[in-house]
Amino acid sequence: AFQQHALGTCMRVLSVATAVGLAAAQHPGPISEGNPPLVTSFCTLAGGCVPQQRSITVDANWRWYHGASGSNCYDGNSWDSALCPDPTTCIENCVLEGVSEAGYRSTYGISTADDSLTL
């Protein structure tokens, strides 16, 4: 009974979080995301280790958030008051840019090779 109650509560929280996210979602920029692949392992005592294909991503805090003209929506420690006078207008005016796989290497110094990650 506890597991069913906990699962029901988790599903309600997930549903609300999803609805809120859809109401105020960021628009993607024109650069496609190129998450570098990384092999990790999932290990258990019973089954040993099984490789799993995953990928790396950079937090949105490190990405370029810009307007259609290419001007920064956030620069230094403040929002551009013309593009972002309030959160709703900011979401309409600005896009959150993706990072290509080459950009992960050149901009952030991140590269992968099979199960190896270099930062």
Side-chain angles (χ1 to χ4, degrees):
F2 175 75
Q3 288 179 332
Q4 287 178 335
H5 174 73
L7 179 59
T9 301
C10 287
M11 293 305 290
R12 283 191 296 277
V13 169
L14 181 59
S15 296
V16 170
T18 301
V20 170
L22 292 175
Q26 300 297 316
H27 300 289
I31 298 175
S32 295
E33 188 65 23
N35 306 93
L38 180 68
V39 177
T40 63
S41 294
F42 179 77
C43 302
T44 64
L45 289 174
C49 294
V50 177
Q52 296 183 325
Q53 185 64 50
R54 302 289 188 221
S55 59
I56 302 299
T57 191
V58 173
D59 187 79
N61 191 51
W62 292 97
R63 295 170 183 261
W64 186 28
Y65 195 50
H66 64 91
S69 67
S71 58
N72 289 324
C73 292
Y74 188 82
D75 195 17
N77 291 322
S78 62
W79 294 99
D80 180 301
S81 59
L83 291 170
C84 296
D86 59 76
T88 302
T89 305
C90 194
I91 289 169
E92 292 170 1
N93 290 338
C94 299
V95 298
L96 186 62
E97 200 58 72
V99 180
S100 66
E101 192 167 351
Y104 273 90
R105 281 189 304 278
S106 63
T107 304
Y108 304 106
I110 297 172
S111 62
T112 61
D114 298 320
D115 62 353
S116 177
L117 171 64
T118 303
L119 300 173

